[in-house]
Amino acid sequence: MWVAAEEMREGAGEEDRKEEGRKKKINGKRERKREYLVNGDGGGRGVSPNVDAARAFFVFGDSLVDNGNNNFLATTARADSPPYGIDTPNRRATGRFSNGKNIPDILCDRLGIEPLLPYLSPQLTGQRLLVGANFASAGVGVLNDTGYQFLNIIRPFKQLKYFEQYQRRLAMEIGVEQTQARLNGALVLWTLGGNDFVNNYYLTPINLRRLQFPNVADYVPYVITEYRKLLVRLYELGARRVLVTGTGPLGCVPGELASQVSLNGQCAPQPQYAASLFNPQLEQMLLQLNNEIGSTVFIATNTGGMLGGFINNPRAYGFVTSKMACCGQGPYNGVGLCTVASNICPDRNLYVFWDAFHPTQRANGFIVEQMMIGSNEYMNPMNLSTILALDAKA
């Protein structure tokens, strides 16, 4: 505050009284800010006053991790209508492709941070930016032509453009240096790849990608090469701890069992073969990137192996079936969308899959548990608990 010359000539006592008044005003603002952060801004989610002490969390990818960005887009790839969200406290569909929490939500619980807001949410402003953001968009894949039938979705390079925009917004709140430090210390979850097969290569018997790559063994390295470009750009934008998930057992999800006309619940061989090629090549690419960088930035997260346990022996995990979706219609409840007109199972905890392609909240919980404590078979070169312990010492 600039003080006029004549005011500066006033007595010391007067200046002391002014300084005391300024302190009270600042303290009052801080208290109101604290209340705002704790009680929230009317959107139903408060932000802890200590959130700046926690590491930020960012999510990129597809419908497995989208928590509502597509609600703000003119697209058919949406989960903002019942019965999605049926097992949330208010039974409200939030845009998550789940009966309740998805993987990022459960990771937030384990990290002790607030649930992330979708980047397109108008509530993501001010101090809420400190928590992080979710940039994922249902329907997308590594390739730009994946999910073309969904029209208006946020493709991966657009997600990264939004991440750049986020950084500029955060810098306006806390400054450039603090923003960079927060980005470097953040945890990132990146989930892509499945749609490049089920919503691209195998979507129709004849399409451009199948004409370009008649053999899926030639298509997979192309997808991996394009995936690498995305991850390199993510690193350039400041990410230093990135969990990269592989595809699930693509041929075993109810949607593929139905579309590939599976007999007796046998996994569809072609998508399953594609997943068996993709996941090892993805892991190898991540290890090569780490070697080039000279640091363990990218963590290969074997979600296919994690889900494989449920698929092969669901009862060992307390499920009754891994073939039938809880919500849907047609064979295996794997045809079309999950709607109020669909068949809906009475107990979601007994099902591995909520709809044709997405796990239930309970299955997501098992996946996150393996992310936290899993062996190198599932988390290579280390699990999230090890990462957190190492970073705490740094």
Side-chain angles (χ1 to χ4, degrees), residues 220-236:
V220 170
Y222 173 70
V223 176
I224 294 293
T225 298
E226 295 303 304
Y227 206 159
R228 188 183 193 279
K229 295 175 184 176
L230 293 167
L231 296 176
V232 167
R233 182 59 184 150
L234 180 66
Y235 176 78
E236 291 172 348

Side-chain angles (χ1 to χ4, degrees), residues 270-349:
Q270 290 188 13
Q272 199 65 358
Y273 174 60
S276 74
L277 295 174
F278 179 83
N279 288 330
Q281 291 185 41
L282 175 63
E283 183 169 346
Q284 184 61 35
M285 181 264 284
L286 297 177
L287 293 176
Q288 290 173 352
L289 269 179
N290 285 340
N291 288 335
E292 291 173 18
I293 294 168
S295 177
T296 304
V297 174
F298 299 102
I299 310 298
T301 304
N302 182 13
T303 47
M306 297 172 191
L307 276 167
F310 308 156
I311 300 295
N312 297 327
N313 190 6
R315 293 187 180 277
Y317 297 85
F319 299 109
V320 297
T321 179
S322 61
K323 308 298 183 185
M324 184 79 66
C326 171
C327 182
Q329 47 278 315
Y332 308 103
N333 274 348
V335 177
L337 300 174
C338 172
T339 70
V340 291
S342 298
N343 305 312
I344 303 176
C345 66
D347 188 350
R348 274 69 66 183
N349 288 329

Side-chain angles (χ1 to χ4, degrees), residues 66-75 77-81 92-97 118 120:
D66 182 2
N67 68 347
N69 278 308
N70 281 19
N71 295 357
F72 303 95
L73 303 174
T75 177
R78 295 168 67 133
D80 57 345
S81 299
R92 184 171 65 89
T94 61
R96 292 161 172 82
F97 285 76
L120 296 185

Side-chain angles (χ1 to χ4, degrees), residues 38-268:
V38 173
N39 297 327
D41 63 358
R45 291 179 181 177
V47 178
S48 165
N50 296 319
V51 71
D52 58 335
R55 74 191 304 164
F57 182 33
F58 302 103
V59 176
F60 301 84
D62 57 26
S63 59
L64 290 168
V65 292
D66 182 2
N67 68 347
N69 278 308
N70 281 19
N71 295 357
F72 303 95
L73 303 174
T75 177
T76 56
R78 295 168 67 133
D80 57 345
S81 299
Y84 286 97
I86 191 172
D87 292 316
T88 59
N90 58 12
R91 298 174 65 88
R92 184 171 65 89
T94 61
R96 292 161 172 82
F97 285 76
S98 172
N99 59 303
K101 294 180 178 180
N102 62 11
I103 289 171
D105 294 324
I106 300 172
L107 277 171
C108 285
D109 290 343
R110 298 299 295 265
L111 294 170
I113 64 174
E114 302 292 329
L116 297 183
L117 286 172
Y119 184 68
L120 296 185
S121 170
Q123 297 178 26
L124 187 65
T125 59
Q127 292 290 310
R128 288 178 179 271
L129 291 165
L130 287 169
V131 179
N134 188 317
F135 300 88
S137 178
V140 303
V142 173
L143 306 180
N144 277 336
D145 58 305
T146 293
Y148 66 88
Q149 70 272 31
F150 302 125
L151 300 178
N152 190 23
I153 50 182
I154 312 171
R155 304 194 182 281
F157 272 111
K158 181 66 172 180
Q159 292 183 29
L160 291 174
K161 285 290 186 183
Y162 279 145
F163 188 40
E164 292 181 66
Q165 185 183 81
Y166 163 88
Q167 294 182 28
R168 292 191 294 269
R169 293 173 61 191
L170 183 61
M172 293 177 67
E173 297 291 328
I174 63 174
V176 174
E177 290 186 8
Q178 287 297 318
T179 294
Q180 192 61 49
R182 194 148 186 80
L183 295 173
N184 292 161
L187 179 70
V188 178
L189 174 65
W190 191 291
T191 296
L192 279 179
N195 281 330
D196 292 290
F197 299 97
V198 300
N199 277 311
N200 193 329
Y201 194 83
Y202 291 118
L203 183 62
T204 56
I206 299 176
N207 58 54
L208 290 176
R209 287 303 183 190
R210 297 188 80 163
L211 292 173
Q212 182 183 9
F213 300 100
N215 191 333
V216 73
D218 297 320
Y219 176 68
V220 170
Y222 173 70
V223 176
I224 294 293
T225 298
E226 295 303 304
Y227 206 159
R228 188 183 193 279
K229 295 175 184 176
L230 293 167
L231 296 176
V232 167
R233 182 59 184 150
L234 180 66
Y235 176 78
E236 291 172 348
L237 291 174
R240 295 296 181 267
R241 290 293 194 193
V242 186
L243 308 182
V244 182
T245 67
T247 71
L250 297 177
C252 305
V253 300
E256 289 301 295
L257 296 181
S259 67
Q260 302 291 324
V261 195
S262 170
L263 300 176
N264 302 318
Q266 296 299 310
C267 296

